[in-house]
Structures are given as C-alpha cells and as structure tokens.
Amino acid sequence: MYQDFSMVAPHSKRPVSEDKIFAASRQAGEAVTKYGFENVINSTVGALLDDNGDLLVMPTIIEILKNLPPAEIAAYAPIAGLPEYLEAAKTAAFRDHRPLGYIEAIATPGGSGAIRHTIWNYSEMGDSILTSDWYWGPYKTIAEEHGRKISTYNFFDEDNNFNIKSFKENLSRLLEAQDRAVILLNSPAHNPTGFTLALSEWEKVISTIKEFAKNKNKKIILFSDIAYIDFAGETNESRKFMKFFGGLPENILVIVAFSMSKGYTLYGMRSGAMMCVSSSKTVAEEFKNVCQFSNRGVWSNGTRSAMKILSEIFNNEDLLNRVESERQELKDLLDRRAKAFLEEANKVGLEICPYKSGFFITVPCDNPVKVSEKLKKENIFLVPLQKGLRFAVCSVSEEKCRKAPAKLLEAMK
Ligand SMILES: Cc1ncc(COP(=O)(O)O)c(C=O)c1O
C-alpha cells in the first residue's frame, strides 16, 4: 500500500500532530513519575487543581448531582435545553446586567458548542473569523473544521491597552472582503493572557462596530466569550460591560457564550448555552430556530443532569449562596497564585502580557517551542503558543508560581 494512501475525504485531511497541550501534559506526568510531584511544575492544565495536583470540585455541585433522581440523570433533555435551565443560564450569565432587547437561549455542550454554532450559522463557507492575535487555539480548530479561517488583529497597543486601532483596521479589511463578520472576543480574564477590556475599551469596540453597521449590507456578529467571567472579580462589577449589548442596530447581533466548565467546575459534563441579544424579535427568533436545528443536526441534545444542577442553584437562594462561597475560595486561591507569579515576575524583570485575572498568565517570547523544550529539562512544563508561553496559574501551587518566573527568564536568555 502507498504510504500516502488515504480514505479520508479531501476536506477532512489535516496535518497529523498531537495536541500541544495534551502532549506537554503527558510529558509532565512522565516527569512526575520519574522525579516526584514536588520536583515538577506542571502548568499545562487549564483547570483549577489543588496544591497536590488534584482537580478542585465545588462540593455543593456534586451534592446536588448525587441527589438527583435517576431519571433526571439518565433521560434526554429537550433539544433546545430544559426551559428552566435556559432561564437559569440567562440569570447566571447576566446577573444584574441583563441587556435590553430580545434575548433567546439554546443549550450547548459548553462554550465550545456555542462557538461552533456561531461560526457555522453566522459566517459563510471560506469566510475569515476575526479574533485577537493571542487567542485560545480551538477557535482556529473549530473555524477550520467548518471550512473557515481565522484572521487576527493585535490585541495590545504599545501601552498594553486594548488595540482599538488594529481592531478597526482589521475589521474594516474583513468587511471589504466579505459581507458578514463574526468577531470572537474573550473577556474578562482572557485565555491565554488574563486580559480584561475596561469599560471604556468596550465602549470603543461597540462604537466601532456601530460605525461599520451603518452600511446595512454588512452583518456583524459579536461573540462574547465569558468562559472565565466567574473568576474575574466581583460578580456584578465584572458584568457591567453587558449593558452595551442592548439597543444595537438590527444588523449587529450579540451572542454571549455561557459555560458551566470553570464557574461550576463541571468541565467534563459539557454544559453551556448560547444567548443572543438583539433589538429585533425576528432576528432573536431566527437565532433560536437555527441553533436548535444545529443542536439536532450535530449532537442532538445536551447533558440533562448538568442542566438540572444549574436550575436548582438558581431556584434556591441557599444553594446559590453555598456555591458562591465555595467559588470565592477557589477565586482567592487563584488570586494568591497569580499574585505570587506577578510579584516575582516584576522582581526579576520578566515581561508578561497585561494580566488582570483568570486561569493563565502569558509570557511573550521569540522562540516559544525552543524555550519550552529547555524548560522541560528543568522539569517545568507549560504550553508554547505562537508568540509566547502560557503558564497556567490555575493548576500550580503558590510556591511553584513564585519559583517559575526566574526560571522562565533564565530559559529565555
Ligand atoms: C477562551 C475559552 N473559551 C471557551 C472555552 C470553552 O470551554 P467549554 O467548552 O468547556 O465550555 C474555553 C475552555 O477552555 C476557553 O478557554
């Protein structure tokens, strides 16, 4: 048989490579076996782990799950999601800052499902999807899986603020080439940098897209990825930007992606929702119909038990209080780790991307793969990105977060 013989249809032929994150994580596991856990820094995992490397799970969530009647665990959910879940997801996502307008929601398997349906239903085959130059790798995977490409603008300007100029230039270029623009914007607590747009920066983003939307032949879809919002400061303070999503022209559609993965520590239960905010009832109803069709056509329905958990939390004040205080402990832990890393980085003079909050800190560097290979020899495992190194403060003890910056700087020299 010829070595290049293939059964796969041409559109699905992909370069074969092991997922970078899982590859580094596997190597870290091997190092732990060889050298002992205390001698290895495994900062590859994008989940909150305790200081011993075990997954942190909110006890109340698991208690609710264990108390569910068997049928609520085993049964199908409606294709669009349980109605009470969709209401709970809206409350969980917007809290006190529900924007004015028509809001419809569809359950999806995590925020990933929302990204998929947005790209598929709101861009055309071959289109470019706009995001920042630092972005979560699966944006590209999902775009390419569906015959789209990613195009980027510079996230930061020379003062490490949101680069509105680059955003505007690249959106303009994109809208010259195509009639619709899907913009993936992950804030607050952006992955991989930990950056959060300030309210004044959001204002500029919205006024920029409104400017482009004056041309009624153009359609702009602003996808607000809030995967890490529950780790980005005070609940309602971190959601203030959502007020800008109301009262927009009908050719701007906002889609908010809610996820239960981080904020409810239910990563593997694959539960989330996509919510549209539109000033047009027709556009909102169309969103619901189209995304419900996509659910049926791709994964059928979501995980009923996870939907039940969120519904119960938002129907019971006591449960909500318990969940919030358990989450506060996780937030405090994360903040202590990030603070340790930042203080040390500052002390040794390690330059990092502007971090505000979240699971990851990113160090820009010239030869990320080479530097990360060097660090492996020191038993430090992190994820090389195109333009830097991603250090997951979420999965490493405060002590190790404090040790890492000097080692990173050393390896970069
Ligand atoms: C930026 C970003 N968006 C969305 C997601 C979606 O996660 P999930 O599909 O588990 O909700 C993640 C998960 O790591 C993420 O980092």
mmCIF file with all atom_site columns, all heavy atoms in Angstrom, residues 261 265-271 303:
data_model
loop_
_atom_site.group_PDB
_atom_site.id
_atom_site.type_symbol
_atom_site.label_atom_id
_atom_site.label_alt_id
_atom_site.label_comp_id
_atom_site.label_asym_id
_atom_site.label_entity_id
_atom_site.label_seq_id
_atom_site.pdbx_PDB_ins_code
_atom_site.Cartn_x
_atom_site.Cartn_y
_atom_site.Cartn_z
_atom_site.occupancy
_atom_site.B_iso_or_equiv
_atom_site.pdbx_formal_charge
_atom_site.auth_seq_id
_atom_site.auth_comp_id
_atom_site.auth_asym_id
_atom_site.auth_atom_id
_atom_site.pdbx_PDB_model_num
ATOM 1  N N   . SER A 1 261 ? -18.231 24.971 32.650 1.00 0.00 ? 261 SER A N   1
ATOM 2  C CA  . SER A 1 261 ? -16.967 24.250 32.850 1.00 0.00 ? 261 SER A CA  1
ATOM 3  C C   . SER A 1 261 ? -16.138 24.808 34.004 1.00 0.00 ? 261 SER A C   1
ATOM 4  O O   . SER A 1 261 ? -15.737 24.064 34.889 1.00 0.00 ? 261 SER A O   1
ATOM 5  C CB  . SER A 1 261 ? -16.141 24.287 31.566 1.00 0.00 ? 261 SER A CB  1
ATOM 6  O OG  . SER A 1 261 ? -16.838 23.636 30.541 1.00 0.00 ? 261 SER A OG  1
ATOM 7  N N   . THR A 1 265 ? -17.162 24.240 37.984 1.00 0.00 ? 265 THR A N   1
ATOM 8  C CA  . THR A 1 265 ? -16.202 23.114 37.969 1.00 0.00 ? 265 THR A CA  1
ATOM 9  C C   . THR A 1 265 ? -16.792 21.829 37.376 1.00 0.00 ? 265 THR A C   1
ATOM 10 O O   . THR A 1 265 ? -16.560 20.747 37.881 1.00 0.00 ? 265 THR A O   1
ATOM 11 C CB  . THR A 1 265 ? -15.592 22.832 39.374 1.00 0.00 ? 265 THR A CB  1
ATOM 12 O OG1 . THR A 1 265 ? -16.632 22.451 40.285 1.00 0.00 ? 265 THR A OG1 1
ATOM 13 C CG2 . THR A 1 265 ? -14.843 24.034 39.929 1.00 0.00 ? 265 THR A CG2 1
ATOM 14 N N   . LEU A 1 266 ? -17.551 21.987 36.293 1.00 0.00 ? 266 LEU A N   1
ATOM 15 C CA  . LEU A 1 266 ? -18.155 20.804 35.659 1.00 0.00 ? 266 LEU A CA  1
ATOM 16 C C   . LEU A 1 266 ? -17.605 20.598 34.241 1.00 0.00 ? 266 LEU A C   1
ATOM 17 O O   . LEU A 1 266 ? -18.357 20.278 33.323 1.00 0.00 ? 266 LEU A O   1
ATOM 18 C CB  . LEU A 1 266 ? -19.682 20.943 35.624 1.00 0.00 ? 266 LEU A CB  1
ATOM 19 C CG  . LEU A 1 266 ? -20.423 20.612 36.928 1.00 0.00 ? 266 LEU A CG  1
ATOM 20 C CD1 . LEU A 1 266 ? -21.929 20.735 36.732 1.00 0.00 ? 266 LEU A CD1 1
ATOM 21 C CD2 . LEU A 1 266 ? -20.093 19.216 37.442 1.00 0.00 ? 266 LEU A CD2 1
ATOM 22 N N   . TYR A 1 267 ? -16.295 20.777 34.132 1.00 0.00 ? 267 TYR A N   1
ATOM 23 C CA  . TYR A 1 267 ? -15.608 20.733 32.824 1.00 0.00 ? 267 TYR A CA  1
ATOM 24 C C   . TYR A 1 267 ? -16.109 19.613 31.899 1.00 0.00 ? 267 TYR A C   1
ATOM 25 O O   . TYR A 1 267 ? -16.416 19.826 30.750 1.00 0.00 ? 267 TYR A O   1
ATOM 26 C CB  . TYR A 1 267 ? -14.100 20.546 33.024 1.00 0.00 ? 267 TYR A CB  1
ATOM 27 C CG  . TYR A 1 267 ? -13.476 21.482 34.027 1.00 0.00 ? 267 TYR A CG  1
ATOM 28 C CD1 . TYR A 1 267 ? -13.423 21.153 35.386 1.00 0.00 ? 267 TYR A CD1 1
ATOM 29 C CD2 . TYR A 1 267 ? -12.921 22.698 33.627 1.00 0.00 ? 267 TYR A CD2 1
ATOM 30 C CE1 . TYR A 1 267 ? -12.835 22.003 36.309 1.00 0.00 ? 267 TYR A CE1 1
ATOM 31 C CE2 . TYR A 1 267 ? -12.331 23.555 34.535 1.00 0.00 ? 267 TYR A CE2 1
ATOM 32 C CZ  . TYR A 1 267 ? -12.293 23.210 35.886 1.00 0.00 ? 267 TYR A CZ  1
ATOM 33 O OH  . TYR A 1 267 ? -11.717 24.047 36.806 1.00 0.00 ? 267 TYR A OH  1
ATOM 34 N N   . GLY A 1 268 ? -16.144 18.397 32.461 1.00 0.00 ? 268 GLY A N   1
ATOM 35 C CA  . GLY A 1 268 ? -16.404 17.231 31.601 1.00 0.00 ? 268 GLY A CA  1
ATOM 36 C C   . GLY A 1 268 ? -17.882 16.949 31.381 1.00 0.00 ? 268 GLY A C   1
ATOM 37 O O   . GLY A 1 268 ? -18.225 16.072 30.592 1.00 0.00 ? 268 GLY A O   1
ATOM 38 N N   . MET A 1 269 ? -18.745 17.683 32.045 1.00 0.00 ? 269 MET A N   1
ATOM 39 C CA  . MET A 1 269 ? -20.173 17.398 31.864 1.00 0.00 ? 269 MET A CA  1
ATOM 40 C C   . MET A 1 269 ? -20.771 18.129 30.669 1.00 0.00 ? 269 MET A C   1
ATOM 41 O O   . MET A 1 269 ? -21.940 17.964 30.341 1.00 0.00 ? 269 MET A O   1
ATOM 42 C CB  . MET A 1 269 ? -20.950 17.659 33.149 1.00 0.00 ? 269 MET A CB  1
ATOM 43 C CG  . MET A 1 269 ? -20.651 16.525 34.131 1.00 0.00 ? 269 MET A CG  1
ATOM 44 S SD  . MET A 1 269 ? -21.665 16.535 35.585 1.00 0.00 ? 269 MET A SD  1
ATOM 45 C CE  . MET A 1 269 ? -23.235 16.055 34.912 1.00 0.00 ? 269 MET A CE  1
ATOM 46 N N   . ARG A 1 270 ? -19.944 18.909 30.023 1.00 0.00 ? 270 ARG A N   1
ATOM 47 C CA  . ARG A 1 270 ? -20.266 19.540 28.746 1.00 0.00 ? 270 ARG A CA  1
ATOM 48 C C   . ARG A 1 270 ? -21.599 20.274 28.768 1.00 0.00 ? 270 ARG A C   1
ATOM 49 O O   . ARG A 1 270 ? -22.568 19.851 28.108 1.00 0.00 ? 270 ARG A O   1
ATOM 50 C CB  . ARG A 1 270 ? -20.229 18.508 27.588 1.00 0.00 ? 270 ARG A CB  1
ATOM 51 C CG  . ARG A 1 270 ? -19.015 17.611 27.548 1.00 0.00 ? 270 ARG A CG  1
ATOM 52 C CD  . ARG A 1 270 ? -17.698 18.380 27.570 1.00 0.00 ? 270 ARG A CD  1
ATOM 53 N NE  . ARG A 1 270 ? -17.603 19.394 26.531 1.00 0.00 ? 270 ARG A NE  1
ATOM 54 C CZ  . ARG A 1 270 ? -17.199 20.641 26.772 1.00 0.00 ? 270 ARG A CZ  1
ATOM 55 N NH1 . ARG A 1 270 ? -16.844 21.036 27.971 1.00 0.00 ? 270 ARG A NH1 1
ATOM 56 N NH2 . ARG A 1 270 ? -17.120 21.497 25.782 1.00 0.00 ? 270 ARG A NH2 1
ATOM 57 N N   . SER A 1 271 ? -21.643 21.334 29.537 1.00 0.00 ? 271 SER A N   1
ATOM 58 C CA  . SER A 1 271 ? -22.874 22.113 29.573 1.00 0.00 ? 271 SER A CA  1
ATOM 59 C C   . SER A 1 271 ? -22.611 23.611 29.471 1.00 0.00 ? 271 SER A C   1
ATOM 60 O O   . SER A 1 271 ? -21.728 24.144 30.145 1.00 0.00 ? 271 SER A O   1
ATOM 61 C CB  . SER A 1 271 ? -23.652 21.803 30.849 1.00 0.00 ? 271 SER A CB  1
ATOM 62 O OG  . SER A 1 271 ? -24.967 22.283 30.727 1.00 0.00 ? 271 SER A OG  1
ATOM 63 N N   . THR A 1 303 ? -26.444 17.641 28.242 1.00 0.00 ? 303 THR A N   1
ATOM 64 C CA  . THR A 1 303 ? -26.427 16.797 29.438 1.00 0.00 ? 303 THR A CA  1
ATOM 65 C C   . THR A 1 303 ? -27.491 17.272 30.432 1.00 0.00 ? 303 THR A C   1
ATOM 66 O O   . THR A 1 303 ? -27.364 18.335 31.042 1.00 0.00 ? 303 THR A O   1
ATOM 67 C CB  . THR A 1 303 ? -25.031 16.889 30.096 1.00 0.00 ? 303 THR A CB  1
ATOM 68 O OG1 . THR A 1 303 ? -24.058 16.672 29.075 1.00 0.00 ? 303 THR A OG1 1
ATOM 69 C CG2 . THR A 1 303 ? -24.860 15.865 31.203 1.00 0.00 ? 303 THR A CG2 1
#
